Every structure is written in C-alpha cells, then in structure tokens.
Coordinates of all heavy atoms in Angstrom, one line a residue:
N1 N -109.8 -31.3 11.2 CA -109.7 -32.4 10.2 C -109.2 -31.7 8.9 O -109.8 -30.7 8.6 CB -111.0 -33.2 10.0 CG -110.9 -34.1 8.9 OD1 -110.1 -35.1 9.0 ND2 -111.7 -34.0 7.9
V2 N -108.3 -32.2 8.2 CA -107.9 -31.6 6.9 C -107.9 -32.8 6.0 O -107.4 -33.9 6.2 CB -106.6 -30.9 7.0 CG1 -105.5 -31.8 7.4 CG2 -106.3 -30.2 5.6
F3 N -108.5 -32.6 4.8 CA -108.6 -33.7 3.7 C -107.2 -33.8 3.1 O -106.5 -32.8 2.9 CB -109.7 -33.3 2.7 CG -111.1 -33.5 3.2 CD1 -111.8 -32.4 3.6 CD2 -111.6 -34.8 3.4 CE1 -113.0 -32.6 4.1 CE2 -113.0 -34.9 3.8 CZ -113.6 -33.8 4.3
G4 N -106.9 -35.1 2.8 CA -105.6 -35.4 2.4 C -105.1 -34.6 1.1 O -103.9 -34.4 0.9
G5 N -106.1 -34.3 0.3 CA -105.7 -33.7 -1.0 C -105.4 -32.1 -0.8 O -105.1 -31.4 -1.8
N6 N -105.6 -31.6 0.4 CA -105.5 -30.2 0.6 C -104.0 -29.8 1.1 O -103.8 -29.5 2.2 CB -106.5 -29.6 1.6 CG -106.6 -28.2 1.7 OD1 -105.7 -27.5 1.2 ND2 -107.7 -27.7 2.2
A7 N -103.1 -29.9 0.1 CA -101.7 -29.9 0.5 C -101.4 -28.6 1.1 O -100.5 -28.5 2.0 CB -100.8 -30.1 -0.7
A8 N -101.9 -27.4 0.6 CA -101.6 -26.0 1.2 C -102.0 -26.0 2.6 O -101.3 -25.4 3.4 CB -102.3 -25.0 0.3
A9 N -103.2 -26.5 2.9 CA -103.6 -26.5 4.3 C -102.8 -27.3 5.3 O -102.4 -27.0 6.3 CB -105.1 -26.8 4.5
I10 N -102.4 -28.6 4.7 CA -101.6 -29.5 5.5 C -100.3 -28.8 5.8 O -99.8 -28.8 7.0 CB -101.4 -30.7 4.8 CG1 -102.7 -31.5 4.8 CG2 -100.3 -31.6 5.5 CD1 -102.7 -32.7 3.8
R11 N -99.6 -28.0 4.9 CA -98.4 -27.4 5.1 C -98.6 -26.2 6.1 O -97.7 -26.1 7.0 CB -97.8 -26.7 3.8 CG -97.2 -27.7 2.9 CD -96.4 -27.0 1.7 NE -97.3 -26.1 0.9 CZ -98.0 -26.6 -0.1 NH1 -98.1 -27.9 -0.5 NH2 -98.7 -25.7 -0.8
M12 N -99.7 -25.4 6.0 CA -100.0 -24.4 7.0 C -100.1 -24.9 8.4 O -99.5 -24.4 9.3 CB -101.2 -23.6 6.6 CG -101.5 -22.5 7.5 SD -103.0 -21.5 7.2 CE -104.3 -22.7 7.8
Y13 N -100.9 -26.0 8.6 CA -101.1 -26.6 9.9 C -99.9 -27.1 10.5 O -99.5 -26.9 11.6 CB -102.2 -27.6 9.9 CG -103.5 -27.1 9.4 CD1 -104.3 -27.6 8.5 CD2 -104.1 -25.9 10.1 CE1 -105.6 -27.2 8.2 CE2 -105.2 -25.4 9.7 CZ -106.1 -26.1 8.8 OH -107.3 -25.6 8.4
D14 N -99.0 -27.8 9.6 CA -97.7 -28.3 10.1 C -96.8 -27.2 10.5 O -96.3 -27.3 11.5 CB -97.1 -29.1 8.8 CG -95.8 -29.8 9.4 OD1 -95.8 -30.6 10.3 OD2 -94.8 -29.5 8.7
A15 N -96.8 -26.1 9.7 CA -95.9 -25.0 10.1 C -96.4 -24.3 11.4 O -95.6 -23.7 12.2 CB -95.9 -23.9 9.0
A16 N -97.7 -24.4 11.6 CA -98.3 -23.8 12.9 C -98.1 -24.7 14.2 O -98.6 -24.3 15.2 CB -99.8 -23.5 12.6
G17 N -97.5 -25.8 13.9 CA -97.3 -26.8 15.0 C -98.4 -27.9 15.3 O -98.3 -28.5 16.3
Y18 N -99.2 -28.1 14.4 CA -100.3 -29.2 14.5 C -99.5 -30.4 14.2 O -98.7 -30.6 13.3 CB -101.4 -28.9 13.5 CG -102.3 -27.9 14.1 CD1 -102.0 -26.5 14.0 CD2 -103.5 -28.2 14.8 CE1 -102.8 -25.5 14.4 CE2 -104.3 -27.1 15.2 CZ -104.0 -25.8 15.1 OH -104.8 -24.8 15.6
A19 N -99.9 -31.5 14.9 CA -99.3 -32.9 14.7 C -100.5 -33.8 14.4 O -101.7 -33.7 14.9 CB -98.6 -33.3 15.9
V20 N -100.2 -34.8 13.6 CA -101.2 -35.8 13.3 C -101.5 -36.7 14.5 O -100.6 -37.2 15.2 CB -100.7 -36.7 12.1 CG1 -101.7 -37.9 11.8 CG2 -100.6 -35.9 10.9
V21 N -102.8 -36.7 14.9 CA -103.2 -37.6 16.1 C -103.8 -38.8 15.6 O -103.9 -39.8 16.3 CB -103.9 -36.8 17.1 CG1 -103.1 -35.7 17.8 CG2 -105.2 -36.1 16.6
T22 N -104.6 -38.8 14.5 CA -105.2 -39.9 13.9 C -105.1 -39.7 12.5 O -104.9 -38.7 11.9 CB -106.7 -40.1 14.2 OG1 -107.4 -39.0 13.7 CG2 -107.0 -40.2 15.8
Q23 N -105.2 -40.8 11.7 CA -105.0 -40.7 10.3 C -105.9 -41.9 9.6 O -105.9 -43.0 9.9 CB -103.6 -40.9 9.8 CG -103.3 -40.6 8.4 CD -101.8 -40.4 8.2 OE1 -101.0 -40.5 9.0 NE2 -101.5 -40.4 6.8
Q24 N -106.7 -41.5 8.7 CA -107.5 -42.5 8.0 C -106.9 -42.6 6.6 O -106.5 -41.6 6.0 CB -109.0 -41.9 7.7 CG -109.7 -41.9 9.0 CD -111.1 -41.5 8.7 OE1 -111.4 -40.4 8.1 NE2 -112.2 -42.2 9.2
M25 N -106.8 -43.8 6.1 CA -106.3 -44.0 4.7 C -107.3 -44.9 4.0 O -108.0 -45.6 4.5 CB -104.8 -44.6 4.9 CG -103.9 -43.9 5.7 SD -102.3 -44.7 5.9 CE -101.5 -44.3 4.4
R26 N -107.1 -44.7 2.6 CA -108.1 -45.4 1.8 C -107.3 -45.8 0.4 O -106.5 -45.0 0.0 CB -109.3 -44.6 1.5 CG -110.3 -45.3 0.5 CD -111.4 -44.4 0.2 NE -112.2 -44.1 1.5 CZ -113.0 -43.1 1.6 NH1 -113.1 -42.2 0.6 NH2 -113.7 -42.9 2.7

C-alpha cells in the first residue's frame, strides 16, 4: 500500500513494475 501523497514512492514502485490492483479515493 502506498499513500496517494507519496509521489516519490509511487514513481519508484511504478518503475519497478508494480501495478494498481485496487484504489481508494476520497
């Protein structure tokens, strides 16, 4: 799980091949 405000982590996981499987929005 990565919090939506953690843009650096999201970029890292995306570059490492992780894909969104669920998404919560608020």
Side-chain angles (χ1 to χ4, degrees):
N1 178 60
V2 59
F3 289 98
N6 194 343
I10 292 168
R11 284 191 303 274
M12 181 182 75
Y13 297 131
D14 185 54
Y18 286 77
V20 175
V21 292
T22 63
Q23 190 166 350
Q24 291 180 311
M25 299 177 81
R26 179 182 296 156

